[in-house]
Amino acid sequence: MSADLRLILFDVDGTLVDSQAHILESMRRAFQGVGAAPPSRAATLSIVGLSLPIAVAELAPDMTAQDQALIVEGYKQAYMQIRAEQGSAQSSPFYPHARTVLDQLAAVDHYLLGIATGKSRRGLDALLAGHGLERMFLTQQVADHHPSKPHPAMIEAALSEMGLTAGNAVMIGDTVFDMEMAGAAGVAAIAVDWGYHDVARLAPLADQVVSDFRDLPAAIEKIWES
């Protein structure tokens, strides 16, 4: 008898790739574009994973809606410019062992790989193309089509696309938003400690925490142990 199909959903920024420098510089340019002091590194990284308009509203709650919108557009333009100058492999490099483990998981017949990210469709497409991953992820949920994390819509859409139930899926991410989204959707959650939120905040919300990408396959197997 073949094993049941399992869906493994990945966050992107802070989980698969380290886009920290890219994000910080894009936000710096966006705030300077409206004559405002950029937020601190800690503040900027705290909102990674949220959809961009929500993230900017969190960072600049006292600004007018017009200025917030200008920052959103400024961020998008800066992000694209930096990516064009450096390429995805340099501006958003894989974390150590990420590509090897992705290939390992993709080779398992009953595993389906997917993405649930706060990135835009355009941003995700460029990232995947830059890393040669266009065919790796069978379901790709992006900010354009869903409410911001931690709303469960991304996971629910991925489950629907793959024809699976929540019990046959796991979400892997580096932020509280990822863990809360998984909880809201009723799926298991694995937190990684190399990303942008403190592991002390993640651990209470996660089924497991991993500190090395190479530990993910065993952690995933443990999720579905009988």
Side-chain angles (χ1 to χ4, degrees), residues 47-68:
I47 54 78
V48 173
L50 294 175
S51 298
L52 187 55
I54 303 297
V56 170
E58 290 279 338
L59 291 173
D62 297 329
M63 284 191 182
T64 64
Q66 181 179 9
D67 280 344
Q68 289 178 356

Side-chain angles (χ1 to χ4, degrees), residues 19-33 44 71-72 74-83:
S19 47
Q20 177 178 163
H22 196 169
I23 292 169
L24 291 171
E25 177 60 14
S26 299
M27 198 64 76
R28 185 189 71 79
R29 295 185 190 182
F31 270 75
Q32 287 189 338
T44 298
I71 291 173
V72 167
Y75 180 93
K76 291 178 180 178
Q77 293 302 316
Y79 203 93
M80 287 189 295
Q81 181 178 0
I82 293 168
R83 184 176 61 220

